[in-house]
Amino acid sequence: MREIKFRGKSLDNGMMVYGNLSVQHDGTWVDCGNVNEAKWIPVDPETVGQYIGFNDRDDRKIYQGDIIAVDCDCDPGDYATCRHDPTLNIVIWDQEEASFAFRGITFRADDMHADYTDAWDVVGNIYDNPELLTPNEGADKHDAV
């Protein structure tokens, strides 16, 4: 069965909390309790993201809104020793495709494939690490956030 989890920034202390999501007339909440006791924390609805079902190379869960460094996929046989830096990508929900996708910060990266998760590193998220959203020199500014 697919694991469905959410996260959001606590309105109480600004820390990310993880668990089940509830959106009510009086706010947005994440239950970060356990099977014996619920612990509903109010969260900023703008920071809510869903677990996408993939983990990075260090087994960290990847959520919508995460910033992912993706290793270059050059064929070393063609380029001898690849010197490309990893590209930075934001995990987004693509409504048109009805799936999670990458949106490139430093370079365009539209595809997300489970076969390549060993080339992914969670380096931050758009809420806690906005400094990572600045395009690198030479990047296509149209692809930046």
Side-chain angles (χ1 to χ4, degrees), residues 57 68-74 82 84-89 116-121:
R57 76 172 102 222
I68 308 296
V70 179
D71 290 345
C72 178
D73 62 354
C74 289
C82 176
H84 294 113
D85 290 332
T87 60
L88 294 181
N89 301 277
Y116 302 122
T117 58
D118 62 339
W120 300 353
D121 280 313

Side-chain angles (χ1 to χ4, degrees), residues 28-117:
T28 303
W29 307 79
V30 170
D31 177 10
C32 56
N34 57 44
V35 293
N36 297 321
E37 183 178 351
K39 183 176 180 183
W40 290 99
I41 306 291
V43 297
D44 177 351
E46 296 297 316
T47 66
V48 170
Q50 184 175 354
Y51 170 55
I52 69 167
F54 295 140
N55 295 4
D56 74 358
R57 76 172 102 222
D58 294 323
D59 207 33
R60 290 179 291 234
K61 292 184 184 314
I62 300 173
Y63 287 82
Q64 182 180 358
D66 275 344
I67 301 172
I68 308 296
V70 179
D71 290 345
C72 178
D73 62 354
C74 289
D75 181 351
D78 291 340
Y79 297 98
T81 304
C82 176
R83 297 192 198 313
H84 294 113
D85 290 332
T87 60
L88 294 181
N89 301 277
I90 301 170
V91 178
I92 62 165
W93 175 256
D94 184 335
Q95 187 65 36
E96 197 171 292
E97 296 293 325
S99 66
F100 291 104
F102 284 150
R103 181 167 64 195
I105 300 170
T106 55
F107 296 97
R108 188 162 182 76
D110 291 324
D111 296 321
M112 177 183 292
H113 301 284
D115 294 344
Y116 302 122
T117 58

